[in-house]
Amino acid sequence: MTRHLLRDDDLTPSEQAEILDLALSLKKDRWKLKPLEGPQTVAVIFDKSSTRTRVSFAVGIADLGGSPLIISTANSQLGGKETPSDTARVLERQVAAIVWRTYAQAGLEEMAAGTTVPVINALSDDFHPCQLLADLLTIREHKGEVAGLTLSFFGDGRSNMGHSYVLAGVTAGMHVRIASPESYAPRADVIADAEAIAARTGGSVTLVTDPLEAARDADVIVTDTWVSMGKEEEKLARIRDLGAFKVTTETMAAARADAIFIHCLPADRGYEVDSEVIDGPQSVVWDEAENRLHAQKALLVWLLRQP
């Protein structure tokens, strides 16, 4: 059965740890594995604009000996005349894997159900599992053991990043706090899935409406843009609703003295985070951005190894 990564809990705790171990190894010796040598091709499809995802997958596929085929849906049949499942059946005869940055999670699920090659969610409206692998890799590098750490996410808990932090965080055995207004809390089904995982890993999920309470004694402080791609018309409302959840120097002061700050970028400076934080000594956002490369290479290697 072909393995895919469509959402963070597609990986068990041991599988997640295995991929992170491999990512650390590949970061130390970047060109040691060439599973795509030939070169084999990986289709990388974009419905949305991208910098970090496009660069890290293109470079990573080349590092692994392969050839990235970058496809814009604006110039293809996908999303127009052709269904995701039909597109997958065409691509699987020519590529080793499919990476898709898209809107609806349902499209990814349809594509994965209709193909024999791995499908990777490079971002959807509901989840961003590749980013979480990079973030967990960054946390491991700076904090050592991940299990037992407290991670506090500020902003839109119902966003793809909020959902992914909940699922991937508890899979890693972390205590995840989501700091947001009640109306921006993660979906109930995602919380239920996370709690089931946490019961096995020793992690936890807590929903908090007081930003300073959420920051208190946290090991990792996280935020993300308040306005997702395609939802720019919501910016004024989100500034009003989420303004109290901006990450500031006061936020960082409430966390542990050795806490780190991460943000998946791009950052809307002055809105979800102050420049003093993102440019400050506790920020590891540039390590995090680089780690997209190493984490995604490890993910591709791991998926291609599955029977």
Side-chain angles (χ1 to χ4, degrees), residues 179-215:
S180 69
E182 289 183 3
S183 58
Y184 286 81
R187 287 193 336 235
D189 62 298
V190 174
I191 293 295
D193 291 341
E195 288 176 340
I197 297 168
R200 303 192 302 271
T201 65
S204 65
V205 179
T206 307
L207 306 183
V208 186
T209 56
D210 181 335
L212 288 182
E213 178 186 342

